[in-house]
Amino acid sequence: MTEPAPASPESSPRKKGKLIPLLLTAMAALGGFGAAYTGLWSAMDLLSPAEARPHDEKPVAEFVAVPVIDLTLQGARSRNLVLAAMIETTQDKAKDIEHTMPRVSDAFNGFLSGIDPAAFDKRGVLEIVRAELLTRSRAILGDEVVHDLLITEFRLK
């Protein structure tokens, strides 16, 4: 019978045990370099004091009220739709929205009066109306001016 071959000195457990920490260290160094190179973090930011670091300040949100819309819906039964909304913007753009508010109210009234009264009885109509009014306000005022549209009152009476 043949005898088993002796284990080669290269694959001894001692040499493998020394290789694992070296590989982990090299991988950590490459990961840190990659993160710094792509801009995820900077070593200089870690060394500078916290007061000297620039802070990304977001502009304060400003809400501009849209005049309350009260529409009489056509149909077999007479109902009124009451809608109140607010446009979210920044403080420096609020005056522009207030100046253009008659155009926004006209677009909102035109859209709401064109909706079939039976659609108001279906689920999810509020989300659809909100999305359409937001689209119309962004078309009139601009994407950079209007951040969001909030419906504060939606009532059928």
Side-chain angles (χ1 to χ4, degrees), residues 100 103-104 107-108 132-144 146:
T100 323
R103 189 176 299 275
V104 173
F108 286 10
E132 288 293 330
L133 294 179
L134 179 62
T135 301
R136 280 163 173 70
S137 62
R138 284 185 173 160
I140 294 168
L141 301 167
D143 288 337
E144 65 279 351
V146 178

Side-chain angles (χ1 to χ4, degrees), residues 22-141:
L22 290 174
L23 286 174
L24 290 175
T25 304
M27 287 174 45
L30 285 173
F33 173 76
Y37 184 74
T38 57
L40 293 175
W41 68 277
S42 171
M44 294 307 292
D45 284 344
L46 296 175
L47 297 175
S48 66
E51 300 85 34
R53 293 183 195 156
H55 297 288
D56 294 332
E57 294 183 19
K58 293 185 179 180
V60 178
E62 182 82 19
F63 296 95
V64 179
V66 177
V68 176
I69 298 171
D70 189 359
L71 289 174
T72 302
L73 300 176
Q74 302 299 323
R77 55 185 178 157
S78 178
R79 297 191 302 178
N80 284 354
L81 168 70
V82 178
L83 182 123
M86 299 189 90
I87 297 175
E88 182 181 352
T89 187
T90 57
Q91 288 179 342
D92 56 334
K93 303 289 184 181
K95 295 276 189 211
D96 297 337
I97 293 177
E98 290 172 1
H99 179 71
T100 323
M101 192 53 69
R103 189 176 299 275
V104 173
S105 292
D106 179 57
F108 286 10
N109 278 317
F111 168 70
L112 292 171
S113 63
I115 296 176
D116 183 28
F120 289 109
D121 296 331
K122 298 199 172 25
R123 292 184 75 167
V125 70
L126 183 60
E127 290 83 15
I128 295 169
V129 167
R130 183 188 165 283
E132 288 293 330
L133 294 179
L134 179 62
T135 301
R136 280 163 173 70
S137 62
R138 284 185 173 160
I140 294 168
L141 301 167

